[in-house]
Amino acid sequence: MKTSIRLMLITALFPVLIWAQTHVVYQPTAENIFNPERGFYTMYTAQSESGQLSLTAINNIKNKKQSLMLRFYYFKKFLNSDLSQKQLDIIQNDFNTMRQGGIKCILRFAYSDNIGVADAPLSVVLRHLDQLKSLLQANADVIYVMQAGFIGAWGEWHSSTNGLDSDANKKIILTKILEVLPKTRMVQVRTPLYKQRIFSRTSPLTLSESFTETDIARVGYHNDCFISSYDDYGTYQDTLAEKNYLNQECFYVPIGAETCDQCTCSDCANAMIEMARLHLSYVHSDYYAPVISKWNANGCLPEITNRLGYRYENLEGIFSDSVKRGNALHFELKLRNTGYAVLYNKRKAVVVLRNITDTTKAYFAALPVDPRYWQSNDTTTLSFAIEVPHAIPTGNYNLYLSLPDTAAALKNNPLFAVRFANTNTWNSIMGYNNLLVIVNVNDTNGGETVSDPLSFSNGLTSIEKSENDVPNSFLIVENFPNPFNNETTIYYQISNDTHVKIKIFDSLGRELETLVDKEVTSGKHQTTFRAGKYASGIYLCVLYSENGYAISKLVYLK
């Protein structure tokens, strides 16, 4: 770690400011680290009205450094009747146990556990989904993703005894699942062809459609015969074309896998190529056992373990190490995703300033970035000025980066926070990534004098706030058109007279331009963003006033 002194000329209105900055170079780790919503999983199957989860089972999963389980429920007892209250209670208790134990689930329901074994009529499936709706809505926090299930043998959408595997019935059931599952969660179907037929479309999702919570943007894939033959035992009809489709599609929707047989295509070299190509997030750790054993014997299992899903590591950072209250902390951090995939459920990136001597004093600044766009093998630079308000006591502070869960019940649980793959940086008590810099907050010197910085606050409201959450004092209406070409109009409403600034940032958090900087009267207003000089992509519109800020996502397509 080294410290450098830099000069900054603000404008003719300000003198030259000198402040100390610390340059930190981070060291990566090859450790298998526990992280939510990714990696190898263990499957736990429950038959009707039995098999309730225990904390012992959850702890056994965590002892393998796994954060996921496939929770598989068979409803054989209810082929022609409603789910019993006992069955619903078991499911709720299981969710409670997951939450208490610190893991999430891949969720599947089915009736048939083999070819030729009966599933349920369509009317019963739809009724069961209605019964499950309240459970799914109340427990989305511990659901990573839901597999479509219900239809045919093992819920894999074939061999139905009730005709559920017709294209028409598949569409009805998938539409119903998307209706009862919260829009913040995605569904996985067994093959790419199933989704293509249901949505009458063979082209992959585009950037502008990504993470929009529309039905088509919420459907991913689970391959239950991954790298088991050229076409993965019928998973693909046109193998090359459909894998190329998944390569683009799965930037934005999750795909997971289970192996089911051995072949040369499951050898280490090809397995890792396919995982990277398809952006694999998870794999069953126990099946097919000979394939997993082969990876272990041939030495690729540790790399696969580390790279399934996302794996973020900090590379280097430049930070103010002395900040005068009222000035802004310079925050510049370069990070990389070395995993095969990304985060698919929404998270915030939050900078934390925590007093060293009184650790109860902690202050938070949510960055206007979306970690779901930190793609595999990409390097991202976060660069912001963050005001240190006068209300923050003087003293020395540690600086952290936190990616907490957004759910109220999980946001303070470190087991659900994202750990970066660096040495000596993880605070396992708080769930923070230490940026290895001490910031002195004082009344004398240091920091930047800039207009409209972000700001630290002494509560967690900044962490909890989503892009569409808006303070009572103002409202940003979605820009129109969106997506847009060349220019778009941004509508916003102010409930009281105040000074307003509206700025545009790119998806990496770099400030591009200021659209509004003036006193605004209460009422409705609009401004125009002309993007012709920028590349196609996701942009963030941030509105600042004395009461806080709000963020809206803009999608620009040339």
Side-chain angles (χ1 to χ4, degrees), residues 241-440:
E242 290 167 34
K243 284 186 177 181
N244 288 338
Y245 163 87
L246 291 175
N247 171 260
Q248 297 300 306
E249 174 96 341
C250 293
F251 284 127
Y252 311 121
V253 292
I255 183 171
E258 176 183 79
T259 59
C260 73
D261 202 355
Q262 283 209 77
C263 72
T264 56
C265 56
S266 63
D267 291 348
C268 276
N270 188 67
M272 291 191 292
I273 288 171
E274 288 299 299
M275 290 177 187
R277 180 185 188 182
L278 303 182
H279 313 296
L280 216 62
S281 280
Y282 64 77
V283 171
H284 190 177
S285 64
D286 301 315
Y287 195 85
Y288 181 60
V291 174
I292 309 299
S293 297
K294 177 168 63 173
W295 294 344
N296 188 37
N298 293 331
C300 64
L301 187 60
E303 181 174 346
I304 291 172
T305 300
N306 283 348
R307 297 191 66 194
L308 284 171
Y310 62 88
R311 185 177 175 90
Y312 302 131
E313 62 180 51
N314 287 325
L315 300 177
E316 61 178 322
I318 299 174
F319 313 99
S320 304
D321 56 20
S322 178
V323 182
K324 179 182 178 181
R325 291 194 293 186
N327 285 352
L329 178 143
H330 178 84
F331 182 95
E332 185 176 337
L333 180 66
K334 183 182 292 186
L335 59 91
R336 176 172 59 198
N337 180 4
T338 62
Y340 295 134
V342 296
L343 284 161
Y344 293 98
N345 293 326
K346 190 171 186 176
R347 278 183 188 256
K348 286 288 187 182
V350 182
V351 180
V352 182
L353 197 63
R354 190 170 184 235
N355 193 283
I356 292 176
T357 56
D358 183 356
T359 56
T360 63
K361 291 184 170 63
Y363 305 89
F364 306 87
L367 302 180
V369 297
D370 190 337
R372 292 175 296 184
Y373 292 103
W374 298 348
Q375 291 290 348
S376 176
N377 296 318
D378 277 0
T379 297
T380 299
T381 299
L382 308 176
S383 184
F384 297 96
I386 309 174
E387 181 189 21
V388 176
H390 290 281
I392 293 182
T394 59
N396 290 328
Y397 290 77
N398 284 318
L399 192 66
Y400 300 92
L401 181 66
S402 172
L403 270 68
D405 200 285
T406 58
L410 308 182
K411 69 178 186 292
N412 294 321
N413 188 333
L415 292 173
F416 295 102
V418 172
R419 177 181 174 182
F420 279 55
N422 294 103
T423 60
N424 302 317
T425 60
W426 180 239
N427 184 320
S428 61
I429 304 300
M430 303 303 297
Y432 299 160
N433 298 281
N434 195 329
L435 297 176
L436 304 181
V437 60
I438 294 175
V439 179
N440 176 256

Side-chain angles (χ1 to χ4, degrees), residues 34 40-44 51-71 73 90-106 142 413 415-416:
F34 180 95
F40 280 103
Y41 72 83
T42 297
M43 183 168 75
Y44 276 79
Q52 184 168 304
L53 275 179
S54 67
L55 273 178
T56 299
I58 299 296
N59 288 331
N60 288 339
I61 293 172
K62 290 194 299 182
N63 287 340
K64 296 187 286 185
K65 291 194 174 180
Q66 294 179 11
S67 67
L68 282 175
M69 69 179 304
L70 174 60
R71 190 51 169 153
Y73 297 94
I90 286 173
I91 297 171
Q92 179 60 65
N93 288 333
D94 286 353
F95 286 139
N96 294 342
T97 304
M98 293 175 206
R99 191 175 293 110
Q100 181 182 356
I103 70 167
K104 298 195 179 190
C105 72
I106 305 155
V142 289
N413 188 333
L415 292 173
F416 295 102

Side-chain angles (χ1 to χ4, degrees), residues 207-208 483-487 530-537 539 555-558:
L207 178 66
S208 64
F484 68 96
N485 177 275
N486 191 38
E487 68 177 50
R530 295 178 176 85
K533 61 185 177 182
Y534 302 118
S536 296
Y539 293 86
V555 181
Y556 172 43
L557 298 176
K558 281 192 173 181

Side-chain angles (χ1 to χ4, degrees), residues 29-45:
T29 178
E31 180 186 353
N32 171 19
I33 58 179
F34 180 95
N35 255 330
E37 302 184 353
R38 59 156 299 278
F40 280 103
Y41 72 83
T42 297
M43 183 168 75
Y44 276 79
T45 301

